[in-house]
Amino acid sequence: MVISTCDHSSYKKNGSTKSGDTRYRCTLCGKSWTAFTQAFSGMRVGMDMAVRIVSMLCEGVSVRGTSRLTGVDKNTVIGLACLVGQRCEEYMARTLVRLPADDVQCDEIWQFIYCKRYTAKKEKYVGGVGDSYCYTAIERNTKLLMAWHMGRRDERDTLRFCEKLDRATTGRFQLSTDGWKSYEYGVLCHLRNKVDFGMLVKTYSDQTREERRMYSPGP
């Protein structure tokens, strides 16, 4: 497969790169390119290697582990992950629109970048460090991820997540969330005319202090 960078169909081989990929040159305008390169915004990885890297990341292999096993620089691995993620986000926003649903369950996946919120506040770190949450909306019967949103666990990001879910669905359906209070306002603003809304609140009793810590993010 050869992907041209111009509108002309007349081209010829023009040597190869250090990694062995064939280069091509347009005989009319003089532009040159490498096969597959344009598929990854100029990154020097072929389709087979890109599939291998993404598959390893999806299976939970770390960036450094993927770099060691494939022989690809870790910055290239990170760049490919960001590129594929952006294109997946664009694809979902374009195709997952006004889909019928029966029972949607929402939750948040907690993680932190560099350090937890308490440490970031204590050490006065700035930027995108600290706690972050990935909001997810999964249709219980089909297991389809209908909408997601990455951000903080606050009212603003909850509203944006509910807006995405509204755009992705049509008809009336059951919506279940945890006890996060901002969901009530988000549903009222964007979903109140199309959902039967309910909150599922888990109660843990007779827990030790260590057990309570394991089921919650840092202070």
Side-chain angles (χ1 to χ4, degrees), residues 116-125:
K116 296 181 181 179
R117 182 187 62 179
Y118 178 77
T119 304
K121 183 177 180 181
K122 180 180 179 181
E123 300 296 334
K124 297 182 180 179
Y125 292 124

mmCIF file of all heavy atoms in Angstrom, residues 116-125:
data_model
loop_
_atom_site.group_PDB
_atom_site.id
_atom_site.type_symbol
_atom_site.label_atom_id
_atom_site.label_comp_id
_atom_site.label_asym_id
_atom_site.label_seq_id
_atom_site.Cartn_x
_atom_site.Cartn_y
_atom_site.Cartn_z
ATOM 1 N N LYS A 116 -0.758 12.045 43.732
ATOM 2 C CA LYS A 116 -2.154 12.219 44.110
ATOM 3 C C LYS A 116 -2.444 13.698 44.396
ATOM 4 O O LYS A 116 -1.537 14.503 44.554
ATOM 5 C CB LYS A 116 -2.475 11.365 45.333
ATOM 6 C CG LYS A 116 -2.337 9.876 45.075
ATOM 7 C CD LYS A 116 -2.682 9.058 46.308
ATOM 8 C CE LYS A 116 -2.513 7.572 46.048
ATOM 9 N NZ LYS A 116 -2.814 6.745 47.244
ATOM 10 N N ARG A 117 -3.748 14.005 44.464
ATOM 11 C CA ARG A 117 -4.173 15.397 44.627
ATOM 12 C C ARG A 117 -3.600 16.025 45.891
ATOM 13 O O ARG A 117 -3.161 17.176 45.883
ATOM 14 C CB ARG A 117 -5.702 15.459 44.668
ATOM 15 C CG ARG A 117 -6.259 16.868 44.797
ATOM 16 C CD ARG A 117 -7.757 16.849 44.998
ATOM 17 N NE ARG A 117 -8.108 16.157 46.246
ATOM 18 C CZ ARG A 117 -9.345 16.001 46.696
ATOM 19 N NH1 ARG A 117 -10.353 16.450 45.972
ATOM 20 N NH2 ARG A 117 -9.578 15.376 47.828
ATOM 21 N N TYR A 118 -3.592 15.271 46.981
ATOM 22 C CA TYR A 118 -3.112 15.817 48.251
ATOM 23 C C TYR A 118 -1.645 16.220 48.143
ATOM 24 O O TYR A 118 -1.248 17.297 48.578
ATOM 25 C CB TYR A 118 -3.298 14.787 49.360
ATOM 26 C CG TYR A 118 -2.780 15.235 50.704
ATOM 27 C CD1 TYR A 118 -3.495 16.143 51.482
ATOM 28 C CD2 TYR A 118 -1.567 14.758 51.191
ATOM 29 C CE1 TYR A 118 -3.008 16.566 52.717
ATOM 30 C CE2 TYR A 118 -1.076 15.171 52.415
ATOM 31 C CZ TYR A 118 -1.795 16.073 53.170
ATOM 32 O OH TYR A 118 -1.306 16.489 54.380
ATOM 33 N N THR A 119 -0.841 15.355 47.524
ATOM 34 C CA THR A 119 0.582 15.667 47.364
ATOM 35 C C THR A 119 0.779 16.848 46.425
ATOM 36 O O THR A 119 1.610 17.726 46.678
ATOM 37 C CB THR A 119 1.339 14.443 46.832
ATOM 38 O OG1 THR A 119 1.130 13.332 47.698
ATOM 39 C CG2 THR A 119 2.832 14.724 46.726
ATOM 40 N N ALA A 120 0.011 16.868 45.325
ATOM 41 C CA ALA A 120 0.131 17.977 44.373
ATOM 42 C C ALA A 120 -0.217 19.305 45.032
ATOM 43 O O ALA A 120 0.440 20.325 44.793
ATOM 44 C CB ALA A 120 -0.790 17.728 43.181
ATOM 45 N N LYS A 121 -1.239 19.305 45.881
ATOM 46 C CA LYS A 121 -1.637 20.536 46.566
ATOM 47 C C LYS A 121 -0.608 20.928 47.617
ATOM 48 O O LYS A 121 -0.266 22.111 47.757
ATOM 49 C CB LYS A 121 -2.996 20.323 47.218
ATOM 50 C CG LYS A 121 -3.554 21.555 47.912
ATOM 51 C CD LYS A 121 -4.940 21.281 48.476
ATOM 52 C CE LYS A 121 -5.499 22.520 49.173
ATOM 53 N NZ LYS A 121 -6.846 22.260 49.738
ATOM 54 N N LYS A 122 -0.080 19.925 48.326
ATOM 55 C CA LYS A 122 0.895 20.195 49.376
ATOM 56 C C LYS A 122 2.196 20.732 48.804
ATOM 57 O O LYS A 122 2.800 21.660 49.354
ATOM 58 C CB LYS A 122 1.143 18.910 50.169
ATOM 59 C CG LYS A 122 2.137 19.062 51.303
ATOM 60 C CD LYS A 122 2.311 17.738 52.032
ATOM 61 C CE LYS A 122 3.339 17.861 53.160
ATOM 62 N NZ LYS A 122 3.532 16.567 53.868
ATOM 63 N N GLU A 123 2.636 20.135 47.686
ATOM 64 C CA GLU A 123 3.904 20.543 47.079
ATOM 65 C C GLU A 123 3.731 21.681 46.071
ATOM 66 O O GLU A 123 4.698 22.105 45.454
ATOM 67 C CB GLU A 123 4.545 19.339 46.376
ATOM 68 C CG GLU A 123 4.838 18.162 47.296
ATOM 69 C CD GLU A 123 5.865 18.504 48.368
ATOM 70 O OE1 GLU A 123 6.685 19.420 48.124
ATOM 71 O OE2 GLU A 123 5.853 17.850 49.432
ATOM 72 N N LYS A 124 2.476 22.126 45.883
ATOM 73 C CA LYS A 124 2.160 23.239 44.986
ATOM 74 C C LYS A 124 2.562 22.953 43.542
ATOM 75 O O LYS A 124 3.099 23.809 42.837
ATOM 76 C CB LYS A 124 2.815 24.534 45.479
ATOM 77 C CG LYS A 124 2.318 24.988 46.851
ATOM 78 C CD LYS A 124 2.956 26.294 47.274
ATOM 79 C CE LYS A 124 2.438 26.725 48.656
ATOM 80 N NZ LYS A 124 3.054 27.992 49.104
ATOM 81 N N TYR A 125 2.308 21.683 43.110
ATOM 82 C CA TYR A 125 2.528 21.346 41.712
ATOM 83 C C TYR A 125 1.434 21.975 40.857
ATOM 84 O O TYR A 125 0.294 22.094 41.279
ATOM 85 C CB TYR A 125 2.510 19.824 41.516
ATOM 86 C CG TYR A 125 3.675 19.117 42.159
ATOM 87 C CD1 TYR A 125 3.471 18.095 43.078
ATOM 88 C CD2 TYR A 125 4.986 19.452 41.833
ATOM 89 C CE1 TYR A 125 4.529 17.427 43.661
ATOM 90 C CE2 TYR A 125 6.053 18.803 42.417
ATOM 91 C CZ TYR A 125 5.825 17.787 43.336
ATOM 92 O OH TYR A 125 6.876 17.138 43.905
#
